[in-house]
Every structure is written in C-alpha cells, then in structure tokens.
Amino acid sequence: MIKTSLSLLLVLVAASFTFAKYTPKTGKRVPQTLSRGWGDQLIWAQTYEEGLYWARSRNKPLMVLFHLDDCPHSQALKKAFAEDNELQKILDEDFVVLNLVYETTDKHLSPDGQYVPRIIFVDPSMTVRADVTGRYANRMYAYEPNDVKLLISNMKKARKLLKSEL
Amino acid sequence: MIKTSLSLLLVLVAASFTFAKYTPKTGKRVPQTLSRGWGDQLIWAQTYEEGLYWARSRNKPLMVLFHLDDCPHSQALKKAFAEDNELQKILDEDFVVLNLVYETTDKHLSPDGQYVPRIIFVDPSMTVRADVTGRYANRMYAYEPNDVKLLISNMKKARKLLKSEL
C-alpha cells in the first residue's frame, strides 16, 4: 500500500514538472477571454478587420460593442446582456459579434462621439447602420440594462439587410 | 437522510435554473481566450490599436504574432513558444504582446509578405523593427520551433529601444 502511494506520488511529481508553466511573480492569472463576460458561448471576432470580413463572407450584420472594464454603466449592461437568452441566441445565430475596449481608427464607428457602452451595427455591405439607435438623444448608441428589449428590437432591424431592402 | 438528499437536490435544481445560460444548439462551447494557446499567463492586447497604445504608454516594445489555427507550422511554434518559461517571462515583464489570426490594415507589419507564423516587433516610438529577423531569407520574420533561442535573442535586441540607441 505504501509502495503504491509512493509510486502515485512520484507520478504526480513528475507530471507537475512536465506541465510546469510560467507563473508571473504576482501569482497565477485567469486566462483572458474574448467574450470579456458579454457571452462566453458566442464566437467573438478579435478585431474590427476580422469582424468585417466575417460579416461580408457570412452575409450577417456585425454588432460592435464598445465598453470599459472600469465603467459601471458598461458593467451593468454587460450583466443584463449576458443573462438574456433571447438576445444571446439571436446574436449567436444571426450576427457577427465584436466587443472592444479600444476605439478603432474608423470614425464611422463613433457617429456622435466615443463613449461607452456604445453599440453600433454594421451591415454586411460595410455600411454603418447609424439609423439603428437607442433611446437617448445625447448618446444615440448607448443602452442601459433596462433597454435590453429595445436592443433586441434594434437587432431585428439590423438583421433586415440593406441589400434586401432595395 | 432521504429528506437531506431531497433538499440538496432541490438546491441543485434551483441553482441550475438560476445560472441557466444560453447554450448553442451544437452544445456548450469552451470560451475563447485572447492567448489562443500562446501563453495563458500573459496579458494580451486584443487589437493592434490597443497594442500600440500600451507600447507607447508603457515604453515597452510590442510583439505582434501572426498565426492561424489550421496552420501546422503555427501550431508547432505555438507549443514551443508556450512551453518556454524564459521566453514567457521576458514577454510578461518587458513586452506588450498581441497575437492575431487576421492581418491588419498596416502594411508595415508585412515587410516581406503576409504569411504565418510571422513575428514582428514594434518599438514604442511606433517604428516597425524590420531589422529584427529570423533565419530564413525568403520569410524573414518566420520562426520554427527550433528557433526559440534565436527568438529570445531577437527579443533582447528589440528590448533595446530605438530612442535609447540614439
């Protein structure tokens, strides 16, 4: 019995050496996710270029979501956004999704300024859907946690592609 | 005892309802990480814009690593790269890191073409270090798994900032 335990111990020690990975001085970190908490089950584009390419090639609208980790409005919206199954399902099936904590060089993504949280839709024809707006006149692309139903209805609007409207 | 088990079952059922999250038709997915396997302990920039901003503000060189999930050369390099603790430590402490599966609009990041795997260093002065090259004349910024030591020595070269060389 003691022999078995010792062998097991040796195997465990060997295994831990084999898999010893770099650990920062400040301790082990949790790997960062591309979802950043906005929906772990969605397939997120990493960059705007990637999002645009997917939108064009899959003929699906792109949702670009600007947010910041240290912004309480972003965090509150994130919770409502991630927990709404209807929203997550539509995004998963009918949209290309991208969340950014950094502005891009494309000025079209900030029609009325750079603020967070801000949600902009881009048609697969590469047209920014500046007409799909929330309920706030001074920050037209902002949404609050209570606006999830409005956001879903805007997603349905964005889903009607511009080309098919012609 | 049966009562206890029942209560526990009820708690478990309740908990599973409370945390019921959207699940895609194809089954639960593993959240995507920003490291994509190149070093889960590193803090990866999401986009080139973000990487450039961090490089400038922290006065650290940026390493941009182009790769593809379905490229066997990328996968082989990834393994050697992620498992080398010296490399990971230097990157963590002295570099800003960005890995991309998508090309950017900046032509300076492809001095001799767009291929993968490809590693380009950018100085905090925003200068692409086209002088920091690997060992292959036809693909000057490519590295193979056996080139990790060369890569580390190139990182040390890139760490000597251009400004301090003046």
Side-chain angles (χ1 to χ4, degrees):
Chain A
M1 183 59 188
I2 287 174
K3 205 177 156 193
T4 316
S5 304
L6 266 177
S7 314
L8 187 67
L9 188 69
L10 279 173
V11 168
L12 284 175
V13 168
S16 69
F17 272 109
T18 312
F19 297 111
K21 288 222 171 151
Y22 168 67
T23 310
K25 271 186 220 149
T26 47
K28 200 164 185 288
R29 303 185 185 120
V30 177
Q32 304 155 275
T33 71
L34 270 172
S35 94
R36 296 179 189 258
W38 292 85
D40 278 350
Q41 293 302 303
L42 303 182
I43 294 171
W44 296 89
Q46 182 183 4
T47 65
Y48 186 42
E49 288 85 358
E50 191 176 6
L52 285 178
Y53 180 80
W54 287 358
R56 201 160 35 184
S57 58
R58 297 172 193 175
N59 204 34
K60 288 180 176 182
L62 167 67
M63 172 194 270
V64 188
L65 200 166
F66 292 94
H67 64 105
L68 282 173
D69 283 343
D70 56 3
C71 158
H73 299 284
S74 298
Q75 298 312 305
L77 178 62
K78 186 198 293 197
K79 194 171 179 296
F81 187 103
E83 286 176 359
D84 194 293
N85 283 354
E86 184 190 358
L87 182 147
Q88 294 280 321
K89 183 178 158 64
I90 300 174
L91 285 181
D92 187 34
E93 296 178 354
D94 299 336
F95 282 80
V96 172
V97 285
L98 169 68
N99 75 78
L100 291 175
V101 290
Y102 238 78
E103 294 293 337
T104 71
T105 49
D106 187 347
K107 303 278 176 246
H108 296 103
L109 290 179
S110 45
D112 64 347
Q114 299 183 341
Y115 50 85
V116 292
R118 183 169 102 248
I119 297 178
I120 310 271
F121 294 96
V122 186
D123 192 75
S125 65
M126 305 289 104
T127 310
V128 170
R129 294 290 305 262
D131 59 312
V132 182
T133 58
R135 66 170 91 256
Y136 310 102
N138 54 340
R139 296 188 162 201
M140 300 212 316
Y141 307 94
Y143 295 84
E144 297 205 349
N146 290 336
D147 300 332
V148 166
K149 288 283 162 268
L150 170 64
L151 178 57
I152 291 175
S153 107
N154 278 347
M155 284 159 52
K156 291 177 180 168
K157 207 188 279 182
R159 202 165 52 177
K160 292 193 189 124
L161 304 186
L162 291 181
K163 234 190 308 191
S164 66
E165 283 174 350
L166 294 180
Chain B
M1 184 59 191
I2 288 175
K3 206 177 156 195
T4 316
S5 304
L6 266 177
S7 313
L8 187 66
L9 188 70
L10 278 174
V11 168
L12 284 175
V13 169
S16 71
F17 271 111
T18 312
F19 297 110
K21 290 223 170 150
Y22 168 68
T23 309
K25 269 186 223 150
T26 47
K28 200 165 186 289
R29 301 184 186 120
V30 176
Q32 305 155 276
T33 71
L34 269 172
S35 94
R36 297 178 188 259
W38 291 85
D40 279 350
Q41 293 301 304
L42 303 182
I43 295 170
W44 296 89
Q46 181 183 4
T47 64
Y48 186 42
E49 288 85 359
E50 191 176 8
L52 285 178
Y53 180 81
W54 287 358
R56 202 158 35 185
S57 59
R58 297 172 191 174
N59 204 35
K60 288 180 177 181
L62 167 67
M63 173 195 269
V64 188
L65 201 165
F66 293 93
H67 64 107
L68 282 173
D69 282 344
D70 55 3
C71 158
H73 299 283
S74 298
Q75 297 311 306
L77 179 63
K78 187 199 292 199
K79 194 169 178 298
F81 187 103
E83 285 176 359
D84 194 292
N85 283 353
E86 184 190 357
L87 182 146
Q88 294 282 320
K89 182 177 157 65
I90 301 175
L91 285 180
D92 187 34
E93 296 179 353
D94 300 335
F95 282 79
V96 172
V97 285
L98 170 67
N99 74 79
L100 291 175
V101 289
Y102 238 78
E103 294 293 337
T104 71
T105 50
D106 187 347
K107 302 278 175 247
H108 296 103
L109 290 179
S110 45
D112 64 347
Q114 298 183 341
Y115 50 85
V116 293
R118 182 169 102 249
I119 298 179
I120 310 271
F121 295 95
V122 186
D123 191 74
S125 66
M126 306 289 103
T127 310
V128 170
R129 294 290 303 264
D131 59 311
V132 182
T133 58
R135 65 169 91 256
Y136 309 102
N138 54 340
R139 296 188 162 200
M140 300 215 311
Y141 307 94
Y143 295 84
E144 297 205 348
N146 289 336
D147 301 332
V148 166
K149 288 284 163 266
L150 170 64
L151 178 57
I152 291 176
S153 107
N154 278 347
M155 284 159 52
K156 290 178 181 168
K157 206 187 281 182
R159 201 166 52 176
K160 292 192 189 125
L161 304 186
L162 291 182
K163 235 191 305 190
S164 65
E165 283 173 349
L166 295 180

